[in-house]
Amino acid sequence: MGIPFGPHLSVPGLSPVRGVGVEAGRAAVRLVQLPLDMAAGSIAQLAGHLGRAMPWREAGPDEPPPGAAGADGALTVLLVHGLGDGESVVSPLERCLGGAAGPFFAVGYSAFTPDIRAAARVLGEQVHLVCTSGTPRTVVVIGYSLGGLIARYYVQRLGGDRHVPLVITLATPHGGTAAALLAPPHPLLRQLRPGSDLLTELAEPAPGCRTRFVAFYSDLDEIVIPAARGRVDHPDLLARNVLVPGVGHLTLPRHQPVIDHLCSLLTAARQATPAPGLWQGGSSLAG
């Protein structure tokens, strides 16, 4: 069974007015959560985890232990957050997708990580742990915002396509963003500037890359500017770009139509390797 993406997919987005209102509410909540996430990052730094992956979340009573097989013994999903985000962003997405596949694990990285390449190596370590834990399984990576670029660098430049057949990105600046030109000179933010060394590297030929990409992007994203930079446009990569109209950067990973399609993608990935022909071109979640 292939990934259920037809050439004329249509799912409701939001009107611009409603989208702005929803995003403003998300931003207010995020302002409250951000100090907590930053504090958690500081604690991790003091504990000696600077620049390394955060530990696997401890499994709950009804949850498989780290590296355990999912419901069908075949699929593990790794969630990579954005810059300055943490469990407060990843956990709601995990809860929404809990019935689609599993187990789910959040892969963290310090905000003080020197660059995306280092964070991609951390992701590679976590994929290796899953792949060598005993039971053969498929690893799918979902990356939100900067996390999507980390996932892409891993599979495209570090050989991760041997282990990860599917990468899903949400509001990721694949082509960089003009917003980074006005941002503070943080090492990671500099790499998001159009024409940066890292983005130039990702634009280089990638013949034989086996990973398929699904990139959800929005025309109302206040972080990824212009919107088209949220697409995976590379001649050597098998990518499906999905436009989600009227949905802001913070709202996109919680937008129900996006969640529904993520569930469909994970269900299909759990059942079979997708056929290449289903990944060409683009789609819109427009109503």
Side-chain angles (χ1 to χ4, degrees):
M1 179 180 178
I3 297 299
F5 266 60
H8 303 295
L9 178 66
S10 179
V11 176
L14 296 176
S15 68
V17 173
R18 185 183 176 193
V20 169
V22 172
E23 184 71 1
R26 297 287 187 197
V29 173
R30 184 71 193 116
L31 287 175
V32 175
Q33 293 174 333
L34 184 59
L36 301 177
D37 285 341
M38 295 301 292
S42 298
I43 292 173
Q45 180 182 359
L46 292 174
H49 294 294
L50 179 63
R52 300 178 58 191
M54 295 171 65
W56 295 105
R57 286 184 306 99
E58 187 158 66
D62 299 321
E63 190 175 31
D72 61 357
L75 186 65
T76 295
V77 180
L78 302 183
L79 303 172
V80 189
H81 62 72
L83 181 63
D85 299 325
E87 286 287 326
S88 63
V89 172
V90 173
S91 293
L93 181 60
E94 178 185 0
R95 287 194 297 269
C96 292
L97 297 175
F104 289 79
F105 296 110
V107 178
Y109 57 90
S110 170
F112 300 97
T113 296
D115 65 5
I116 289 173
R117 299 176 183 88
R121 288 192 289 270
V122 167
L123 173 59
E125 293 171 1
Q126 305 307 323
V127 172
H128 177 74
L129 287 177
V130 173
C131 293
T132 59
S133 62
T135 304
R137 63 183 54 82
T138 297
V139 178
V140 172
V141 179
I142 300 176
Y144 169 57
S145 193
L146 178 65
L149 269 182
I150 292 171
R152 178 177 170 184
Y153 192 90
Y154 166 63
V155 300
Q156 184 180 334
R157 304 296 297 179
L158 300 180
D161 62 316
R162 292 173 294 178
H163 311 293
V164 180
L166 173 62
V167 168
I168 303 170
T169 67
L170 306 169
T172 291
H174 287 283
T177 173
L181 297 173
L182 303 177
H186 187 287
L188 288 175
L189 293 177
R190 285 199 297 267
Q191 293 185 323
L192 299 183
R193 294 174 179 174
S196 70
D197 289 345
L198 182 121
L199 294 178
T200 299
E201 184 179 353
L202 287 176
E204 293 176 358
C209 182
R210 291 160 283 189
T211 298
R212 271 76 168 179
F213 293 85
V214 177
F216 292 86
Y217 71 107
S218 174
D219 57 0
L220 197 67
D221 194 317
E222 70 278 16
I223 301 298
V224 182
I225 304 172
R229 294 189 180 273
R231 298 168 52 97
V232 177
D233 289 324
H234 191 294
D236 294 332
L237 300 181
L238 297 172
R240 165 73 68 185
N241 295 299
V242 185
L243 175 63
V244 189
V247 174
H249 190 81
L250 298 175
T251 305
L252 191 144
R254 302 190 187 189
H255 186 51
Q256 192 57 50
V258 172
I259 296 296
D260 292 342
H261 280 81
L262 287 176
C263 290
S264 297
L265 288 165
L266 295 179
T267 298
R270 182 174 57 188
Q271 295 173 347
T273 301
L278 293 175
W279 298 82
Q280 306 296 334
S283 298
S284 172
L285 294 186

